[in-house]
Every structure is written in C-alpha cells, then in structure tokens.
Amino acid sequence: MAAMRSRRCAPGTVRVDKQRLKVAIQKSGRLTDHSLDLLVRCGLKYSRGKDQLLCFGENMPLDILLVRDDDIPDLVREDVCDLGIVGRNVLEEKRLALRAQGLAAPFIELQSLDYGRCRMVIAVPEDTSYQTAADLNGLRIATTYPQILSQWLITQRISAQVVILSGAVEIAPRLGRAEAICDLVATGNTLSANRLRELETVLHSEAVLIQTPAPLLADKLAWLNRIRLRIDGVQQVKESKYIMLHAPRSALADIRRLLPGSESPTIIPLEGHPERVAVHAVCRENVFWETLESLKAAGASAVLVLPVEKMLA
Ligand code: ATP
Ligand code: ZN
C-alpha cells in the first residue's frame, strides 16, 4: 500500500515506473471526459493524484498523465509517455512542423477513436461575396493551425497570407486582422454566432490513439494489445443492440433482411409452435422505431431490443 501511495502523488513530481503503461490525455477540455470514459469502459479503475496531474491505475499496470493537448504529441514522441490520445488536428499540425525540421514518423498512429469529431474549415464573413477556394487568393487568413493551413493552401495552389493567432480566431475579421479564418467547428454554431459562413473544409478530425516510436517492454506491449481489443469492443457496442423476437418460419427471409447490420441471427424453435421460431440477433446499427414497425408488419411479435454492454469478437 505504501508503494502504491508513493507512486500516486509526490507533490510536483511524476514518478516514472517503466513497467507501467503511461497514457497522456487532455487535462481539461473537450477530449477529457471521453478519454477517461473510454479507459474506464476498457476496465480501468483509477484514483486521481493530489496534484491532479497523474491518475494511478488500480487494477491495470497503466497510469494516466493529464496535460494540455498540445503537449501530447511531444510527450509520446519523446517516450515520456507510451501512449497518447489527441485530436488529429493537433497531431497533424505537429507532424507538419516536425517535417519542416526534417524529422519524420515521430509517433505511431494506432487507431481513430469514436469521439472528438470536428472539422477544420475556412470561413468568411456572411456578408462577403467570396464563394470558392480561388477567391481566397490575396486574402489574410487567421488561424492557430499555420502548418495545416499553409499545407492546404499549397495543395490548392492558393496564394494567401497566413496570420498566426493564439486564440479567438473567430473575431479576427471583425477586428480587421484578416479577411478569413481557418478554425475547428463541430456544429457550426460558433461560426453563425460570429456571422461567419463556411467556404471550404481543410481537415476532418477525431480523437486518435498514438504510441511512442520507442520499443515497448513485452509486458507493456501485451497490455497495449489487450487494451486495443477492448477499445474495438467498446466502439462496436456503441450502436449495437441485441434483438429478440418471435416470427413465423415463413417470414424468416424478410425478417433477416430487416435486421440492421446483423450477420447471422440465432434461430430457436418454440416448444409447441412448430410454425414459429425465436430469432436472436446482434444488430451493429441503431434500431429505430421504424425498424420495429417493419418487423411487426413482416409477422414478428414479442420484439425486445436490449443494449449490448460488452463485445469481444
Ligand atoms: P488545452 O487547454 O488542452 O490546450 P484546447 O483549448 O486546445 O485545450 P479544446 O477546445 O478542449 O482544446 O479541444 C480539444 C480538441 O477537441 C481539439 O483539438 C479537437 O480535436 C477536438 N474538438 C472537437 N470538437 C471541437 C470544436 N467544436 N472546437 C474545437 N475543438 C474540437
Ligand atoms: Zn490546446
């Protein structure tokens, strides 16, 4: 117990235990809750250190380091952390910056995760006449992502000036600092609130799991592989439902066609009803009321739709 406590939180320091996987996630922001929730769904129980910087994994050899998202690529690249979860936008900006310095393949991109979805777009004030990418020629575009924007401008053969800001990009046109902006949007509400409209999409982003380029100890690699399988399971069950219903044998072909995203349903005879069967199926897509109504119209009865909690392929 004393050893556990000392690993948890000596104030102001981060104890590095080389035998344990260290995962960097965003400390406080849009990816924080989803990332912690994903690790918990993978089976992790953790306690938070007093310094709020480190979470100690109680039931897995895995600790979480809570940091600013911009620091995550370097922490993983420099092997301070074995893994990191960060938006593709942050990752891409870093990758391009490193490439400009002649450094390549700095982290291993393991897989996209199912959250943090957003787009990096170029937007212009609503009351302007700019319509196409070519209209951006000669303009000033404000952004906090100069590398991604510059790269996009090159591929589009557009000559525009990149104005680098550290925040509040959406007010740059009103302040007269730029004619257009390049920023992240999810719903587009912030753009409309600032009387801006989208012109072009530069990048689609989501949270991504990355790994250090340094080789992992065998035990850590085994845990990483286990966690990745669990992440796949967590992602698969998100939309999945388990459907149970009764149906006439004669309607089976129609019923199977109606079950969304189901591979091979289990067909079970019903005692005393030779013409009817029970059908059980995992549907990997959402099941809507319309689907249930169609199933009923095809002859199904006693239809039950249950959430799937865990799945291992
Ligand atoms: P930090 O303090 O860690 O530097 P931040 O302010 O840079 O935080 P957040 O605004 O919390 O970052 O966004 C974190 C990530 O969430 C973004 O880099 C992006 O990948 C993702 N994201 C999802 N939706 C949006 C959105 N609507 N606007 C901005 N980022 C979004
Ligand atoms: Zn940031």
Side-chain angles (χ1 to χ4, degrees):
M1 193 61 202
M4 243 159 106
R5 247 198 311 270
S6 72
R7 252 192 236 121
R8 245 185 255 176
C9 52
T13 61
V14 178
R15 283 280 180 97
V16 178
D17 182 339
K18 284 282 172 199
Q19 307 296 321
R20 298 172 64 82
L21 277 171
K22 187 160 276 120
V23 188
I25 70 167
Q26 192 185 22
K27 181 175 178 150
S28 163
R30 294 176 204 259
L31 300 182
T32 308
D33 289 347
H34 284 293
S35 302
L36 286 171
D37 184 57
L38 175 68
L39 293 169
V40 168
R41 282 170 187 268
C42 288
L44 180 72
K45 289 195 172 74
Y46 66 85
S47 54
R48 211 162 180 156
K50 283 195 199 108
D51 55 5
Q52 303 286 305
L53 183 64
L54 196 64
C55 294
F56 176 74
E58 303 277 3
N59 60 341
M60 288 186 198
L62 180 152
D63 300 327
I64 302 169
L65 192 66
L66 297 159
V67 291
R68 282 201 59 194
D69 67 346
D70 314 71
D71 295 333
I72 294 175
D74 275 341
L75 286 169
V76 174
R77 184 173 75 91
E78 290 163 10
D79 199 31
V80 178
C81 292
D82 306 292
L83 301 170
I85 297 178
V86 68
R88 183 175 300 287
N89 48 302
V90 173
L91 206 57
E92 188 63 7
E93 183 71 11
K94 188 76 201 175
R95 196 180 62 78
L96 291 169
L98 289 166
R99 198 178 70 179
Q101 296 166 39
L103 299 165
F107 18 67
I108 303 167
E109 199 177 309
L110 292 177
Q111 63 196 92
S112 298
L113 305 172
D114 231 358
Y115 57 89
R117 281 188 208 291
C118 56
R119 288 170 301 126
M120 191 176 292
V121 300
I122 297 198
V124 291
E126 276 168 2
D127 55 5
T128 52
S129 59
Y130 309 122
Q131 291 301 333
T132 65
D135 293 338
L136 297 168
N137 271 303
L139 301 190
R140 292 169 301 165
I141 310 177
T143 189
T144 54
Y145 295 91
Q147 299 286 343
I148 296 176
L149 174 59
S150 304
Q151 177 68 27
W152 184 83
L153 290 170
I154 291 169
T155 57
Q156 300 289 315
R157 296 172 196 279
I158 294 166
S159 163
Q161 186 189 334
V162 176
V163 178
I164 306 172
L165 299 183
S166 55
V169 169
E170 63 284 354
I171 58 168
R174 266 184 288 154
L175 297 178
R177 301 186 73 181
E179 288 75 38
I181 67 159
C182 173
D183 205 4
L184 293 172
V185 299
T187 58
N189 288 344
T190 315
L191 287 186
S192 359
N194 286 285
R195 316 205 58 187
L196 296 165
R197 64 180 163 82
E198 280 181 40
L199 200 71
E200 288 285 332
T201 298
V202 170
L203 180 88
H204 289 272
S205 184
E206 72 272 275
V208 179
L209 178 68
I210 55 170
Q211 182 188 339
T212 173
L216 286 183
L217 295 173
D219 282 357
K220 287 213 244 186
L221 189 60
W223 265 104
L224 171 58
N225 290 335
R226 271 175 94 170
I227 291 164
R228 289 190 66 193
L229 277 178
R230 292 182 188 187
I231 290 177
D232 289 343
V234 168
Q235 300 203 148
Q236 276 179 27
V237 300
K238 256 200 181 150
E239 298 257 287
S240 296
K241 296 281 179 284
Y242 194 77
I243 295 196
M244 302 194 286
L245 55 85
H246 291 177
R249 273 185 195 280
S250 56
L252 270 179
D254 285 343
I255 300 247
R256 284 179 74 153
R257 256 196 306 277
L258 288 168
L259 293 172
S262 126
E263 277 142 33
S264 39
T266 308
I267 315 290
I268 308 158
L270 285 175
E271 189 68 27
H273 299 276
E275 287 314 309
R276 291 183 76 75
V277 287
V279 178
H280 290 194
V282 173
C283 293
R284 290 178 192 263
E285 292 163 29
N286 222 332
V287 179
F288 297 104
W289 280 109
E290 288 76 4
T291 313
L292 300 192
E293 286 155 9
S294 308
L295 285 167
K296 197 162 165 50
S301 60
V303 185
L304 276 182
V305 181
L306 308 171
V308 176
E309 198 180 294
K310 290 191 176 67
M311 194 189 291
L312 203 59

